[in-house]
Amino acid sequence: MMFPSTATMYLSLMTDDNYFYNKVNYWNNVHGVNMSALCKKSWNDLCTGMIVSTVSPQCIQSKTNEEIIHIDCMTVTKEELSQGLIGSFELEFERITNWHGFIGWFDVKFNGNSTTVTLDTSPMSPPTHWEQMMILVGDVLKVNEKQLVTGTIKIQTLLPKAKRHIFVTLDYETQEQRYLKEYNY
């Protein structure tokens, strides 16, 4: 049997105008019918949870991808995992853009005697059935090059009730405002 040796979670800033257009602006012209009154509702529905999807590498807007959580799978205890995983981040935009949210992914390493195998789920790697996690920020924000977003993320399972269900708390701030978002997935 093979078990992962380590697991690492990453976070980046993202924009995806195509996704936004297809899911929200679509309502502006539905086969010639103006249903734009549904745009705000559609966006609000998208922003209440996390979206699991394959994301193009071109959507990443950070200068770097932040390692937010690293787990040594050989030593971590069930008690440590049940308390939640906490990470912090400082992300910088690489250009002026519309900011839609965050993108998260993970990799796991399987360390053998002579080789290490990595399962990488990042947008820069070939797609697998493990996709990325998009967390939309709410209002689309126009951001500047080198603008910072800093914060913390906490990921918890709702053990013992639902082992695969997670609760995410995202506390972040831009130069203008601080935000606290909670998501169930």
Side-chain angles (χ1 to χ4, degrees):
M1 284 200 259
M2 286 180 51
F3 295 101
S5 305
T6 62
T8 306
M9 295 181 190
Y10 300 89
L11 195 67
S12 186
L13 303 166
M14 57 109 22
T15 189
D16 193 343
D17 288 323
N18 288 333
Y19 187 87
F20 179 74
Y21 179 81
N22 289 333
K23 297 292 184 181
V24 178
N25 288 343
Y26 161 82
W27 296 104
N28 286 324
N29 183 353
V30 182
H31 307 291
V33 178
N34 182 347
M35 299 179 72
S36 59
L38 294 174
C39 287
K40 185 71 172 166
K41 168 89 170 102
S42 177
W43 181 251
N44 288 339
D45 287 349
L46 288 171
C47 294
T48 59
M50 298 179 296
I51 302 163
V52 177
S53 182
T54 299
V55 178
S56 167
Q58 289 77 26
C59 294
I60 294 177
Q61 298 300 310
S62 305
K63 288 195 175 197
T64 60
N65 302 315
E66 189 86 12
E67 178 182 307
I68 54 169
I69 297 171
H70 182 79
I71 303 167
D72 182 339
C73 299
M74 307 305 279
T75 60
V76 69
T77 65
K78 184 177 177 181
E79 290 74 29
E80 289 172 317
L81 292 175
S82 67
Q83 292 172 11
L85 306 170
I86 300 173
S88 60
F89 56 89
E90 182 176 291
L91 299 165
E92 182 180 349
F93 283 96
E94 63 182 356
R95 65 178 139 295
I96 296 170
T97 189
N98 293 324
W99 179 33
H100 292 120
F102 297 93
I103 176 173
W105 66 89
F106 68 92
D107 68 30
V108 291
K109 295 189 184 314
F110 298 86
N111 296 335
N113 291 334
S114 61
T115 187
T116 298
V117 175
T118 302
L119 168 63
D120 186 351
T121 67
S122 81
M124 290 73 68
S125 295
T128 69
H129 74 283
W130 297 97
E131 296 175 302
Q132 294 84 43
M133 171 186 67
M134 292 190 295
I135 303 172
L136 302 180
V137 293
D139 294 329
V140 177
L141 303 173
K142 188 74 164 178
V143 293
N144 295 311
E145 180 181 5
K146 298 186 179 184
Q147 186 170 338
L148 288 178
V149 178
T150 59
T152 60
I153 187 168
K154 182 174 184 179
I155 303 170
Q156 297 175 270
T157 61
L158 299 177
L159 290 171
K161 295 186 244 176
K163 294 178 183 178
R164 293 181 57 111
H165 185 87
I166 61 172
F167 185 74
V168 176
T169 304
L170 190 56
D171 185 358
Y172 62 97
E173 62 184 287
T174 64
Q175 294 162 334
E176 295 84 26
Q177 192 169 351
R178 184 172 181 197
Y179 304 87
L180 179 64
K181 307 265 184 161
E182 297 178 326
Y183 306 90
N184 285 305
Y185 181 75

